[in-house]
Amino acid sequence: MVKKAGADANKPSISRRREIIMAAARLFLKKGLHKTTMREVARESGIVVGTLYHYISTKDDIITMIMDEELAAVHEFIRDSEMMLAKLGPVKTLRMTIDRYLHMIDISQDVQVFWYQESGNMLPDQRRRLIEVEDKLAAMYGKILTAGCKSGDFRVKDVLLTAHDIIVLGDMWAFRRWFIAKHCTLDEFIRHQTGLILSGISVRPPEVAAASGEKTAKAQKRGGDVRTDK
Amino acid sequence: MVKKAGADANKPSISRRREIIMAAARLFLKKGLHKTTMREVARESGIVVGTLYHYISTKDDIITMIMDEELAAVHEFIRDSEMMLAKLGPVKTLRMTIDRYLHMIDISQDVQVFWYQESGNMLPDQRRRLIEVEDKLAAMYGKILTAGCKSGDFRVKDVLLTAHDIIVLGDMWAFRRWFIAKHCTLDEFIRHQTGLILSGISVRPPEVAAASGEKTAKAQKRGGDVRTDK
Amino acid sequence: MVKKAGADANKPSISRRREIIMAAARLFLKKGLHKTTMREVARESGIVVGTLYHYISTKDDIITMIMDEELAAVHEFIRDSEMMLAKLGPVKTLRMTIDRYLHMIDISQDVQVFWYQESGNMLPDQRRRLIEVEDKLAAMYGKILTAGCKSGDFRVKDVLLTAHDIIVLGDMWAFRRWFIAKHCTLDEFIRHQTGLILSGISVRPPEVAAASGEKTAKAQKRGGDVRTDK
Amino acid sequence: MVKKAGADANKPSISRRREIIMAAARLFLKKGLHKTTMREVARESGIVVGTLYHYISTKDDIITMIMDEELAAVHEFIRDSEMMLAKLGPVKTLRMTIDRYLHMIDISQDVQVFWYQESGNMLPDQRRRLIEVEDKLAAMYGKILTAGCKSGDFRVKDVLLTAHDIIVLGDMWAFRRWFIAKHCTLDEFIRHQTGLILSGISVRPPEVAAASGEKTAKAQKRGGDVRTDK
DNA sequence: AATGAATGAGAGTTCATTCAT
DNA sequence: TATGAATGAACTCTCATTCAT
């Protein structure tokens, strides 16, 4: 009777639930929250509406469940970065955190956009949770920045605001993908944004270029070499 | 309820239309697109639903009309900045454009958020126009940056991406206002973001500015060195 | 535009509303509350479901409205009886009140049964109102009985309980009509119940027969003359 | 949950059935017929819905089964009373039957109310059976009354209607318990109602009894006169 | 006998839009 | 132009019942 293994036998098969969440997320992202009907969610899940309600209890419930998954991932992300900070120091940690953050966003692009777009249609509770996690994320970036200031690597006047800047410059990858996706690769994007951020906070900027894979700093010294989008 | 007798009494339908658009915009922003009913729009406009449809033809139509107003404003904004660029040069123009952009956003905060949140619920056509104007805005910032590169003031590798960065770092004032509004004033925000951007693109980096809000542009003319973008 | 005359123009045409209430009442009584669908109510009202909701706001709302009508009638009934008591004295008033009560029930038989049967499915508020009016009704009968005791006409130990007895012996006409309707006429029923009640409370019983239209008290003196139902 | 091992272990399905009926009855009474779901019935029975349907075939089926139990009890009650009539005569039998009836109702108050309230939601067949048993009950009371008339103890014009009066005055204990329960005890209620009934049918009226709860039947043997029924 | 996932018709309610007056 | 009643498709969610295991 045990479907997988472990302690998840009380609520009807977890895996089915996951399928529904994924299907719903897919539709929500493609069509928007309220233009997606529960019948569509059911069909996309390969079941009928009656069955659907065996696994979830409300449309809003689905959102909460999608959120649960996401927030768990973000929390883990935060935890990892804080551990990293203790081991590698602020400069390296900031670089790596930005890199990891962008890859995380890249993986769940749609979900990110979903939060941005549908937060207005969510229950107060859900909205609060969303803001909460953003606050924590910013706080984590803030810790890195503060550590960097103490170590003399960074000079940041407004730590929290800068933290939000970093987040937003990352989220762009998701919510401006209509432009960015056509414009550059993820790695190029990461390098560019990291450069912008570090140039804004670094006390000694040289290692910026060196660390970010820049081939020849020289070639770029000429102002003419401006990349124009195709 | 008062009909605003006067000015454009010859074309009352035009002013009526505006009233409706304004009322609708107010509601859309407060309650979201699909949670606002046409009856509510009518009531907020001081008319009944039947009359409402004499002035507009569809709910989507209203959105288009709201958009028309907005886009016109942005287009004017773009035109102004381009004229400014010709007169004042890239550095001054960039600073002023960022400042004006932020004030514009501050005035129409809700509208900005509205576009971000409801773009997913709009007609393809509407979405396309939205993207179009963003592209133009970015192109305008791109012109300033390119001009700055030519003049030797800026060093930017990816002009367009940087342009989008500037826009997004401005839009933050609207879509992260749950954090920023509690955190700093508009002027502080402008100074901070301008500093971040300039430190990322300036050939002679206003190091101090990025970190301290740059009191005097003069003092920064000396910042030791080398800013490598990215 | 005024449909009837008077002060009822704010809410959509009152008369239409009444039609819906009546149609709904008819169906509720025939099929039960929850077996009657709103679509049926609409059809019975000669409109479609969308239109139905112009006039009412909830299924429960209909019940409340049916109740409003009924309770208003009962309250008026109570008021009238109390005025009567002041003018005609307890004995005559009791007789006439019972008579009037039974005629009232006869007119709204179905509604009476409806209250008995569906009170369990009502909102707490509605149930409370129902009990409230029953309490008032009982209090009114209680006043008559008390007055009769003071005047020496009645001898009643438990006034309130007797009041409820009177009410229930009247309501029977509605909720046992599957038997009574086949068994006797309303007038016969009234005479019988009035007799039962008066015999239980009267100090001097003689006028009972005299007043209730009994042809010959004599004829009944023989125990053999028992009416057996067909 | 415990299967009650023992007694009828050979026909466990019978006992299971009973458990289900009892559980269903409990829920139907507490929440109403249509607000009780089969899932709830299953849970209350300690089984799952699939298993439930091994023992019963329909929701309506359960009602029928509850009814079977009830009606059997009433039939036994009727039989007992008829035997009593043969032995003790009409006056004593009537008193005792009323007393026993009230105690029976007191025990199964909820069930009584259930029949009153949900009869409208039952299948025609079920409703017919309900009426049938009421008819039999009335017939039984009728026999007592008729016997009393023959013996010269009672004088009743309309036997059947009076029988129904007696039943209804008893049922009150259940369906008006929102008032009566707060008002008096069961014994007080029985005494009061018995008094009312007897005063309405006795040839030598227990006048005192009706008003005072009749301490001694003896003292009343003299009450002056003439009770005319009706 | 036991399970509980699956079913799908149908419930109440909403709302953009139309149209007769 | 102004009105607001009328429309009906579509929505979310429920539940008695079935059926494969």
Side-chain angles (χ1 to χ4, degrees), chain C residues 156-173:
Chain C
V156 182
K157 196 189 166 200
D158 189 330
V159 166
L160 260 191
L161 185 49
T162 306
H164 280 272
D165 282 340
I166 296 173
I167 295 171
V168 166
L169 286 172
D171 290 349
M172 269 178 70
W173 179 252

Side-chain angles (χ1 to χ4, degrees), chain C residues 134 157 165 176 193 199 229, chain D residues 134 160 165 176 193 211:
Chain C
E134 289 291 333
K157 196 189 166 200
D165 282 340
R176 292 236 153 185
Q193 299 300 73
S199 74
D229 201 37
Chain D
E134 288 290 333
L160 261 192
D165 282 341
R176 292 236 153 186
Q193 301 299 72

Side-chain angles (χ1 to χ4, degrees), chain A residues 226, chain B residues 77-86 88-101 136-156 159-160 162-163 166-167 197-198 201:
Chain A
V226 174
Chain B
F77 174 81
I78 292 173
R79 225 175 15 255
D80 287 353
S81 286
E82 291 183 341
M83 282 167 50
M84 205 181 288
L85 177 59
L88 306 179
V91 181
K92 259 196 152 156
T93 299
L94 182 61
R95 283 184 172 280
M96 291 187 65
T97 299
I98 292 174
D99 185 87
R100 284 173 54 232
Y101 186 63
K136 281 185 188 158
L137 199 58
M140 182 271 284
Y141 274 113
K143 273 186 205 165
I144 301 177
L145 292 175
T146 304
C149 289
K150 285 214 172 103
S151 70
D153 292 301
F154 301 152
R155 183 176 305 142
V156 182
V159 166
L160 262 191
T162 306
I166 296 173
I167 295 171
I197 293 160
L198 286 179
I201 63 172

